[in-house]
Amino acid sequence: SIKYDPERGHIYVSNINGNPTEEDNNGFISRLSPDGEIIDLKWIEGLSAPKGMAIVGDRLYVTDIFQLAEIDLEKGEITARYDAEGARFLNDVAADDSGAVYVSDMSADIIYKLEKGVMNIWLREDWLKRPNGIAFGDGKLYIGGAGFIRAVDIATRKSVETIDTG
C-alpha cells in the first residue's frame, strides 16, 4: 500500500517482504519523495506484514497482521501498537474527520475502530464478507469486499448505500 503525506511531502510505502500472514519482523515502511525517489528504503522497521495506512495529524497508522501500529511521523518511530480482539488478517485503514481510525479484517469479517487509544469491534454484520479496502468521505465509511461496495453511516453504523460489483 502507499499513502501520500501532503503536509510533509512524502510518500509512504508498506513492504510486506515475505509471507503476508507470518509474524517474522521482515516488513518495513519506505519513505519516498513525490517524484518517486527513495529517501529511506527501510524508514520504519520492526513490522511483520504492513499493509493499509492512514494519517491522522502527525501519526501514521499501519495494519500489521493482528495489530495496528502507530508511527510518529516527526520522530520516525513506532510509538504504540494496538491489539484487535479476534483479529485474523488486518488489511486496510481509514480515518474519519474526528481522527478515529477504522481497520478492516478480511478474514474475521470485522471493521475495528481505534478511538482515544482503544481498539474495539465497530461493525460486524452478515453482509460484511471479506472487507478489504476502506475509505472515509461525507460522514460515511466506504467498504469494498467480496462482491460489494457499501457506504456505512458513521453515526448510525447502518448501511446507507450498496453498489453491486458482481
Side-chain angles (χ1 to χ4, degrees), residues 50-70:
K51 296 173 197 70
M53 297 179 280
I55 296 172
V56 177
D58 64 351
R59 300 290 192 243
L60 177 68
Y61 292 90
V62 183
T63 60
D64 195 23
I65 309 176
F66 308 114
Q67 294 181 325
L68 182 67
E70 178 182 290

Side-chain angles (χ1 to χ4, degrees), residues 102-115:
Y102 301 82
V103 180
S104 65
D105 188 320
M106 286 183 58
S107 294
D109 298 336
I110 292 172
I111 303 293
Y112 294 91
K113 180 179 181 181
L114 174 69
E115 190 170 37

Side-chain angles (χ1 to χ4, degrees), residues 18-77:
N19 186 325
T21 60
E22 188 174 321
E23 294 180 272
D24 57 13
N25 287 325
N26 288 335
F28 57 93
I29 305 295
S30 299
R31 190 166 57 157
L32 283 64
S33 69
D35 64 1
E37 180 183 334
I38 297 172
I39 298 169
D40 294 304
L41 178 64
K42 293 186 176 182
W43 179 59
I44 301 292
E45 296 183 89
L47 300 165
S48 290
K51 296 173 197 70
M53 297 179 280
I55 296 172
V56 177
D58 64 351
R59 300 290 192 243
L60 177 68
Y61 292 90
V62 183
T63 60
D64 195 23
I65 309 176
F66 308 114
Q67 294 181 325
L68 182 67
E70 178 182 290
I71 297 167
D72 183 311
L73 290 168
E74 301 304 323
K75 294 178 181 177
E77 61 186 38

Side-chain angles (χ1 to χ4, degrees), residues 77-144:
E77 61 186 38
I78 298 170
T79 55
R81 293 178 189 264
Y82 303 96
D83 292 320
E85 180 185 338
R88 293 181 18 207
F89 190 85
L90 299 181
N91 192 51
D92 204 8
V93 184
D96 68 20
D97 292 335
S98 73
V101 177
Y102 301 82
V103 180
S104 65
D105 188 320
M106 286 183 58
S107 294
D109 298 336
I110 292 172
I111 303 293
Y112 294 91
K113 180 179 181 181
L114 174 69
E115 190 170 37
K116 298 177 183 170
V118 179
M119 179 89 101
N120 286 308
I121 293 173
W122 182 75
L123 188 67
R124 186 183 333 199
E125 297 287 341
D126 290 341
W127 58 261
L128 190 62
K129 301 294 182 204
R130 299 198 52 78
N132 188 348
I134 58 176
F136 177 79
D138 301 322
K140 299 183 229 23
L141 184 67
Y142 293 87
I143 305 168

Side-chain angles (χ1 to χ4, degrees), residues 1-3 11-15 28-32 53:
S1 295
I2 64 165
K3 185 67 180 173
I11 299 169
Y12 306 107
V13 181
S14 60
N15 299 270
F28 57 93
I29 305 295
S30 299
R31 190 166 57 157
L32 283 64
M53 297 179 280

